[in-house]
Amino acid sequence: MSGVGYRQLWAVDPGGWRAAGAAWAGLVGPVDRRVGGLRGAGGRLRGGWSGVAATAADTRLAVLRDDLASIAPALIEVDQVLAELAGRLTVAKARLAESVAQAGAAGLLVDRSGGVRVDPAGVRPTDRAGAAAAGMAAAGVATALRAALDLAAVADRVAADRLDELTRAAGTGWASPPPPGRPAPGAAPALVGAWWSGLTPAQRRWLIGHEPALVGRLDGLPVAARDQANRLRLDVWRAELLAERRLLLSRVPPGPLASIRLRGLVRRLAGLDELVGRLTAGGAPRAYLLGLDPGGEGRVVVALGDPDHADRVLTYVPGMTAGLDDAPGELGRAARVLDRCTALAPGERSAAVLWLDYDAPDFLTEAASAGQARDAGPALHSFQEGLRVSHDGAPARQTVLGHSYGSLVVGVAAREHGLAADALVFVGSPGVGASHAAELGVPPGEVWASSAPDDVIRVARPPDELGRRALLGAAPLAAVLGWPGRTGHELWFGHDPADPGFGGRVFPSGRGGHTGYWAPGNPALDGMARVVLGRPL
């Protein structure tokens, strides 16, 4: 289309495009089942038939199976394209509505075709100054309206081009022969991104379909490619957990350790199933699966909205006890910040990432050590670098938020490795491994913190003091919390980032304990969103 008209943009329903994309993605399940049926048929064929004809039939079945399996990434890609279109149209409609409201406030009229003119009843013919001011206001509104329509036209054109490319690929074959070369283990995201850029679309699709484990974990690749690859592995990950459960149940009677492991496994399965439900729900914003590991306590990286096309991107790092079992709840916290961003700035595109790609402490004894935060640093550094590399268009404002032990993960990564971030936010922090904001390597004034007045972390004792108090006979919990006589600004891991003396900036929080920062109405929620947007607090 050469352009999008005023009435056309008012009438468009982004939710319809989003629902259409989800319907295409919903075909992945039936395709997978048909692929499994062909695989089973091939196995039965080989078991009861031999000879040249049998070999030819088996080969033909394998080709059909591979051709059918190669469709799945394309179905997911259609969903991504239409979700991206819906997101851009939503922003365009918000800007259009804002422009019309601006016109109304200025006493201007907007006709059905989007034309802007001065309301004759609002300006006296003899008031030349008023007429001139109204004319300037009308010009400004017309420019804003045109910008909204242009944004919708670009969205339409980008989606049409991508769908046309998929259509052509359907006619020529979804994938090419295997591309040569792979990034070296641990390759920098910039090198990974350059390697991917040098591949043809067919080569990329081959890698997504045949090496999803590689594509899904590489920082520096486009978010869409990683999401396609990781969604193809969801059944594999669930099968791994089910196999582990069968193994534990086979031990009769199960020992105490096996029983504990079984309960944890059941929780991880429930968390995975709930996460899959969110991935396939088709709601707004679309969820992108950027990483998952069901082993141990489980790790997961999920984005709400596409960070590669967002103006503002939040990376949220949760703290102690976080794992696959409660990933849906942690994702809900990221979603609440994102919802607040949308409410404050409907004309901008924001995305939020839950980054749980580290082994979070499960017990206070583990949380008293910075070891797990230090181990997480290189991975968080690489992930943030990857977001910079894969982002399309002008650089987004990147904010990294850490809660509780997660704030230590963020602080240590920033101080020891550097983070590709424009702002850092710490809430409910036990210290961030630094004595001053200047050590964290982000622009001055972009280190933010908040601590609830009733957050127990405010009275936590540093680890070296825990040992001294334990030797003096204090109970373990009392040694950690140290309620009586708490003075100074030192927490477990350095200077309290919510103390003005740390050198950062502080925003308020209401009461809600250690986990209430995301509660509706808490000023901390508004503060986090405003930092993400770069808006004044």
Side-chain angles (χ1 to χ4, degrees):
M1 294 177 60
S2 59
V4 173
Y6 177 80
R7 282 183 290 181
Q8 188 179 10
L9 183 54
W10 268 123
V12 72
D13 175 20
W17 290 110
R18 193 174 288 111
W24 279 95
L27 296 174
V28 172
V31 166
D32 286 345
R33 289 191 290 274
R34 185 60 59 89
V35 170
L38 288 174
R39 186 175 291 110
R44 292 190 296 273
L45 183 69
R46 288 189 296 273
W49 188 19
S50 61
V52 175
T55 301
D58 186 56
T59 301
R60 180 57 181 161
L61 277 177
V63 171
L64 288 173
R65 185 180 66 239
D66 290 345
D67 285 346
L68 194 57
S70 69
I71 297 174
L75 296 173
I76 299 171
E77 188 171 350
V78 172
D79 178 32
Q80 292 172 336
V81 170
L82 296 183
E84 174 69 14
L85 173 62
R88 292 187 185 215
L89 290 176
T90 299
V91 171
K93 285 174 70 71
R95 294 186 183 180
L96 191 71
E98 184 179 353
S99 300
V100 171
Q102 180 185 346
L108 303 173
L109 300 176
V110 181
D111 62 31
R112 291 171 59 86
S113 63
V116 183
R117 59 187 175 87
V118 178
D119 184 355
V123 180
R124 295 192 306 273
T126 58
D127 185 3
R128 294 184 178 181
M136 292 180 61
V141 170
T143 299
L145 286 173
R146 184 70 259 165
L149 297 176
D150 288 345
L151 179 62
V154 169
D156 179 77
R157 184 169 60 253
V158 169
D161 289 347
R162 290 183 64 186
L163 293 174
D164 284 346
E165 199 278 325
L166 281 170
T167 301
R168 290 192 297 271
T172 60
W174 289 112
S176 70
R182 302 291 184 274
L191 294 176
V192 172
W195 165 74
W196 188 259
S197 296
L199 301 176
T200 66
Q203 289 173 327
R204 295 171 190 164
R205 290 195 185 96
W206 189 96
L207 285 165
I208 291 169
H210 292 80
E211 298 184 21
L214 170 71
V215 174
R217 63 177 172 77
L218 283 178
D219 294 327
L221 292 192
V223 164
R226 295 180 67 172
D227 176 61
Q228 292 172 34
N230 286 320
R231 284 172 181 257
L232 295 178
R233 302 194 69 214
L234 283 170
D235 287 344
V236 174
W237 285 319
R238 194 171 194 281
E240 289 177 5
L241 291 176
L242 291 174
E244 185 179 349
R245 185 178 69 176
R246 285 194 298 270
L247 178 62
L248 291 173
L249 290 173
S250 68
R251 300 173 181 174
V252 181
L257 182 58
S259 297
I260 293 173
R261 288 180 58 192
L262 183 59
R263 287 195 293 271
L265 177 59
V266 169
R267 290 194 297 270
R268 274 184 286 148
L269 269 167
L272 177 60
D273 288 343
E274 190 173 348
L275 188 62
V276 170
R278 176 60 184 87
L279 289 167
T280 57
R286 187 186 189 277
Y288 293 78
L289 183 59
L290 305 184
L292 194 145
D293 180 358
E297 298 297 320
R299 303 183 180 196
V300 65
V301 182
V302 180
L304 298 175
D306 184 355
D308 285 350
H309 298 98
D311 305 306
R312 309 285 184 264
V313 179
L314 168 68
T315 300
Y316 164 52
V317 183
M320 181 176 165
T321 74
L324 182 57
D325 57 343
D326 60 355
E330 297 291 358
L331 189 62
R333 291 178 172 178
R336 284 191 282 277
V337 179
L338 184 59
D339 288 345
R340 189 62 188 140
C341 288
T342 301
L344 290 169
E348 296 183 21
R349 298 201 63 190
S350 299
V353 181
L354 166 65
W355 189 87
L356 180 48
D357 195 15
Y358 81 106
D359 181 21
D362 292 317
F363 306 102
L364 284 172
T365 50
E366 293 178 325
S369 166
Q372 283 158 279
R374 195 163 287 116
D375 291 343
L380 181 56
H381 163 81
S382 176
F383 179 76
Q384 286 298 122
E385 290 289 331
L387 289 182
R388 289 285 199 210
V389 169
S390 63
H391 191 268
D392 186 17
R397 174 177 169 84
Q398 302 277 354
T399 300
V400 184
L401 162 68
H403 172 240
S404 190
Y405 193 87
S407 69
L408 178 64
V409 173
V410 174
V412 169
R415 184 172 62 84
E416 297 186 359
H417 305 281
L419 285 179
D422 301 289
L424 303 179
V425 183
F426 307 113
V427 294
S429 176
V432 300
S435 58
H436 195 275
E439 300 173 26
L440 300 177
V442 297
E446 289 288 10
V447 176
W448 299 83
S450 185
S451 184
D454 58 344
D455 191 336
V456 69
I457 209 74
R458 293 166 69 100
V459 292
R461 294 283 182 170
D464 58 347
E465 189 171 339
L466 301 186
R468 293 196 299 271
R469 290 176 63 82
L471 289 174
L472 292 174
L477 185 59
V480 170
L481 299 180
W483 289 98
R486 182 75 178 121
T487 60
H489 301 287
E490 291 298 312
L491 298 178
W492 287 18
F493 302 106
H495 199 118
D496 181 0
D499 172 57
F502 182 73
R505 302 171 72 179
V506 180
F507 57 91
S509 173
R511 300 180 68 85
H514 190 54
T515 60
Y517 297 96
W518 293 267
N522 191 331
L525 178 59
D526 188 79
M528 287 184 278
R530 288 182 180 275
V531 173
V532 172
L533 294 169
R535 297 286 184 88
L537 296 182

